[in-house]
Amino acid sequence: MVKLTTELLYQAEQYTNPGKDRELSLRGYKIALIENLGATMDQFDSIDFSDNDIRKIDGFPLFARLRCLLLNNNRVSRIGDQIHECLPNIQDIILTNNSMQELSELDSLVPCKKLRCLCLLRNPVASKRHYRLYVIHKLPQLKLLDFQKVKQRERLAAANLFKTKRGKTILESTRTKKDRVFVPGDPVDPLTETKSAADVARIREAIAAASTLDEVEKLNALLQAGQIPGGKDSKTGAGKSADTEIEKVEEMES
């Protein structure tokens, strides 16, 4: 693990990217925490944190200039609640191949009114039911989601879904669902860390059943990602397409 020091920031590569934005490259240092960025004096339009070990997006000072964050191939599972205050002009957040688990974790982006592009490809949350419609409903300012243009048909489907009783139930269950992911540096809340008896039983069964080193490593990775063996969240398949979700909403209205 590498600490993001002022020395590293001064040594990091700086350049004008193809979009003519000033970019700071912090790729591949295995940084775990975002810190000490005040030393850059808000001189960049874009910061590339790809290929590190970051688990939570926070630790930013007030950066009025920053518009783009690249966080591909990290371990991000949470987004700080104050990101809109620290990055008031953020427009693009690219989180390909991270560990975002729950739809509720995306609510921290709601106040980011200038956000236009969000990518969560290869995150467990992208396989959640209603994922695309939920994000479009919560972040109506988006123009691109997972590098696909947000269509008017999707906006209408999202609006129609979440004004129904079923949609309101989905929103309520999302708000009340407790996040099981622990991020180093966060205070431990005994209430949020408590697992149900069924979850504990599944974990014990999985540990007892692991007979090879490969199985133990897979189980360890699953638990570190905040997933329960045998639970619904342990499946990270492609999920239903947005078109299928739209068709279901249209069927509900007919």
Side-chain angles (χ1 to χ4, degrees):
M1 182 180 72
V2 175
K3 184 177 178 64
L4 183 54
T5 63
T6 53
E7 289 79 12
L8 190 154
L9 288 167
Y10 292 147
Q11 295 170 8
E13 186 177 6
Q14 306 174 17
Y15 50 83
T16 300
N17 65 23
K20 298 184 178 180
D21 290 330
R22 288 296 297 165
E23 184 166 308
L24 175 65
S25 178
L26 295 167
R27 295 180 68 106
Y29 286 102
K30 300 305 175 187
I31 297 163
L33 295 174
I34 298 174
E35 55 187 339
N36 296 318
L37 286 176
T40 67
M41 302 295 290
D42 194 15
Q43 295 179 0
F44 299 97
D45 306 292
S46 175
I47 299 180
D48 188 351
F49 281 108
S50 299
D51 305 317
N52 282 292
D53 200 30
I54 296 167
R55 303 189 185 197
K56 185 176 181 180
I57 303 177
D58 69 350
F60 289 93
L62 174 59
F63 275 180
R65 179 172 176 175
L66 190 65
R67 299 197 307 271
C68 178
L69 273 179
L70 304 172
L71 287 140
N72 302 305
N73 307 319
N74 276 272
R75 301 174 68 182
V76 175
S77 60
R78 287 188 184 176
I79 300 172
D81 292 335
Q82 308 304 318
I83 187 171
H84 63 290
E85 296 180 359
C86 300
L87 309 177
N89 294 308
I90 194 70
Q91 296 179 3
D92 309 318
I93 300 179
I94 310 302
L95 282 161
T96 305
N97 193 30
N98 275 274
S99 301
M100 296 297 295
Q101 301 280 336
E102 302 296 338
L103 292 171
S104 58
E105 288 296 333
L106 305 178
D107 290 356
S108 297
L109 297 174
V110 171
C112 298
K113 299 305 182 183
K114 295 186 179 181
L115 190 65
R116 65 182 185 185
C117 175
L118 175 66
C119 181
L120 291 159
L121 292 171
R122 297 174 64 189
N123 280 259
V125 71
S127 67
K128 294 281 187 180
R129 191 176 185 186
H130 305 301
Y131 155 73
R132 191 169 174 90
L133 295 185
Y134 180 90
V135 176
I136 292 171
H137 173 71
K138 285 287 186 173
L139 306 173
Q141 68 272 35
L142 283 183
K143 297 184 182 300
L144 290 173
L145 176 57
D146 297 337
F147 298 119
Q148 293 183 8
K149 183 178 180 180
V150 177
K151 301 176 182 178
Q152 184 61 25
R153 183 188 178 200
E154 292 178 306
R155 296 188 190 279
L156 292 173
N160 290 335
L161 171 62
F162 292 107
K163 72 182 180 183
T164 64
K165 182 177 179 180
R166 179 188 176 197
K168 291 176 182 178
T169 300
I170 293 170
L171 291 175
E172 184 61 29
S173 64
T174 301
R175 280 194 295 268
T176 57
K177 186 165 185 178
K178 294 179 181 178
D179 189 1
R180 294 190 295 265
V181 179
F182 171 69
V183 177
D186 278 0
V188 177
D189 184 343
L191 294 178
T192 59
E193 292 298 310
T194 302
K195 295 179 175 61
S196 68
D199 288 344
V200 173
R202 281 199 292 266
I203 293 172
R204 288 176 176 171
E205 289 174 3
I207 293 173
S211 58
T212 66
L213 179 59
D214 184 57
E215 290 176 351
V216 171
E217 289 178 346
K218 288 181 179 179
L219 177 59
N220 183 52
L222 196 67
L223 293 173
Q224 287 184 352
Q227 299 179 13
I228 304 300
K232 293 181 180 180
D233 290 348
S234 64
K235 300 177 181 179
T236 57
K240 291 182 171 61
S241 68
D243 284 342
T244 302
E245 295 294 338
I246 292 172
E247 289 170 2
K248 287 190 175 182
V249 173
E250 291 174 343
E251 287 176 4
M252 290 168 57
E253 295 179 323
S254 62

